[in-house]
Amino acid sequence: MQYPSTIPWGAANLFSPRVVDRDTVLQAQGSPASMVWRIERGIVKLVHQAPDGRQMITDLLVRGQFVGVEAVLRGIPARQTARTVGPVKLLCWTPSGFLEKLKAEPEFALTLVRELCAHVYKLQYRVEGLGLDRARERLLSLLEELAEWSGKTPRPADSVRLPLSSHDIAELIGVAPSYLSQLWNSLEREGKVMRRKRRVWLVKQS
């Protein structure tokens, strides 16, 4: 497992925010619980690898969400690899320090419960979308999420810099990369988005 070199791992409990580089592995699939992270800024993607070597992005985690908490609370190996998408600002704790904090601070424990409930709701919404929504609606919904995470409300002048590759986006909305290219072209022709390199403008319909 790769650890960010900017964090002093000898500390028993870490509360000061730390920034780690892009493409840093916070936890590796199958590894024992070693740290708990809370995202303060940036995006972390969760990737699951099948026994035959195929990989798939299963979720994106953003500000306020935790990484590694399930493995610590249940005492099981990590089910997915957590990798940063761009620089990410984090709070982190050792497993024992995190459990002590939960016991000592009921308000913090309640915050965790609320975040986990919100995460379950988001995953249910995404599963429903995969079954019921058209791919174009799933793509637009993802773009609106990215705009929200960047602190912007979509307006004609707003742009979203895509932190994910085309392959990652295709996996998240459940389509082949070739079909994603067709979706981009279709949405541009309809005036719903404008693209320039890795930046997308969401065009609000009047």
Side-chain angles (χ1 to χ4, degrees), residues 95-167:
S96 60
F98 184 75
L99 293 174
E100 289 172 7
K101 186 173 178 66
L102 286 178
K103 294 176 182 178
E105 301 181 27
E107 199 61 37
F108 179 75
L110 182 58
T111 296
L112 174 64
V113 171
R114 286 172 173 163
E115 188 284 317
L116 292 177
C117 289
H119 190 202
V120 170
Y121 179 85
K122 184 185 79 169
L123 292 177
Q124 290 175 332
Y125 181 82
R126 181 168 294 166
V127 170
E128 291 168 0
L130 287 172
L132 300 174
D133 293 342
R134 297 169 62 192
R136 58 190 291 109
E137 276 69 48
R138 298 199 297 271
L139 176 56
L140 287 170
S141 178
L142 176 61
L143 293 174
E144 290 173 356
E145 277 189 285
L146 292 173
E148 180 182 347
W149 294 339
S150 68
K152 296 180 177 180
T153 300
R155 300 189 303 268
D158 276 344
S159 66
V160 180
R161 188 181 185 283
L162 298 179
L164 305 168
S165 67
S166 293
H167 186 270

Side-chain angles (χ1 to χ4, degrees), residues 136-205:
R136 58 190 291 109
E137 276 69 48
R138 298 199 297 271
L139 176 56
L140 287 170
S141 178
L142 176 61
L143 293 174
E144 290 173 356
E145 277 189 285
L146 292 173
E148 180 182 347
W149 294 339
S150 68
K152 296 180 177 180
T153 300
R155 300 189 303 268
D158 276 344
S159 66
V160 180
R161 188 181 185 283
L162 298 179
L164 305 168
S165 67
S166 293
H167 186 270
D168 289 347
I169 293 173
E171 283 190 354
L172 281 169
I173 66 172
V175 300
S178 58
Y179 187 60
L180 175 62
S181 180
Q182 296 178 39
L183 288 176
W184 282 127
N185 293 335
S186 176
L187 291 173
E188 284 187 288
R189 286 195 302 269
E190 295 172 16
K192 294 184 180 295
V193 301
M194 296 184 294
R195 287 190 300 160
R196 183 178 300 165
K197 296 183 179 179
R198 291 186 67 123
R199 193 169 290 278
V200 175
W201 280 259
L202 298 174
V203 180
K204 187 176 180 180
Q205 304 300 305

Side-chain angles (χ1 to χ4, degrees), residues 5 8 16 26 29 33 42 45 49 61 73-74 93 97 100 104 106 111 121 133 157 193 198:
S5 59
S16 300
L26 302 180
Q29 180 176 323
K45 64 180 179 181
Q49 180 171 312
L61 303 180
L73 292 180
R74 299 180 62 193
W93 299 267
E100 289 172 7
T111 296
Y121 179 85
D133 293 342
V193 301
R198 291 186 67 123

Side-chain angles (χ1 to χ4, degrees), residues 18 24 30 33 36 62 70 89 92 106 110 119 133 167 182 196:
R18 307 284 173 160
T24 297
V36 176
V62 294
E70 295 90 348
K89 186 177 182 180
C92 47
L110 182 58
H119 190 202
D133 293 342
H167 186 270
Q182 296 178 39
R196 183 178 300 165

